[in-house]
Amino acid sequence: QVQLVESGGGLVQAGGSLRLSCAASGRTFDSYAMGWFRQAPGKEREFLAAISQRGGNTYSADSVKGRFTISRDNAENTVYLQMSSLKPEDTAVYYCAAKIRYYSAAIYRRPTEYDYWGQGTQVTVSS
């Protein structure tokens, strides 16, 4: 079983920055492809960014490209989402997710492809 714990959310003014962290349990973090998603009230869960097991491949949604950057530190069992130039429409609960896959550089964009999810962290951007 994999446990994921997000942190780093909060209230920020428009134009500001936040860095979200997602700490994973387990001894095989470098076997997890990771992703970040968000969900605003009344909306579907939205893909933001994904990263392969060793960080060699990344992909960001067009809606956040150039503003959000995903990265990971396998020694710390942590994946990050650096967010800048935040807008009020970025307000949502942000989730990290893990896909168990051995020896693969693949990344995943659909929520149904992921095996484990964190509990989410709230990000609120004020105008």
Side-chain angles (χ1 to χ4, degrees):
Q1 190 75 309
V2 176
Q3 289 188 322
L4 303 174
V5 179
E6 300 97 335
S7 61
L11 175 64
V12 63
Q13 288 189 332
S17 299
L18 281 175
R19 188 176 80 157
L20 305 183
S21 300
C22 172
S25 65
R27 295 176 292 177
T28 58
F29 183 66
D30 60 0
S31 297
Y32 311 161
M34 301 295 296
W36 283 99
F37 295 77
R38 68 185 177 191
Q39 190 164 19
K43 294 189 176 181
E44 292 187 352
R45 193 160 293 193
E46 178 189 7
F47 167 79
L48 299 175
I51 190 165
S52 59
Q53 294 168 350
R54 303 217 173 172
N57 288 335
T58 61
Y59 182 86
S60 297
D62 288 343
S63 60
V64 301
K65 197 166 289 185
R67 298 192 301 124
F68 292 9
T69 302
I70 190 171
S71 63
R72 67 189 294 161
D73 184 342
N74 285 355
E76 296 294 328
N77 282 15
T78 302
V79 63
Y80 303 98
L81 186 68
Q82 179 68 49
M83 307 186 295
S84 61
S85 302
L86 284 162
K87 307 172 184 178
E89 50 265 43
D90 293 319
T91 295
V93 178
Y94 283 68
Y95 299 90
C96 68
K99 165 72 174 178
I100 308 301
R101 181 77 185 272
Y102 294 100
Y103 310 115
S104 172
I107 57 173
Y108 302 90
R109 288 179 278 177
R110 291 189 291 269
T112 53
E113 294 179 301
Y114 284 86
D115 301 310
Y116 298 96
W117 292 83
Q119 82 291 346
T121 186
Q122 175 71 45
V123 172
T124 303
V125 184
S126 63
S127 56

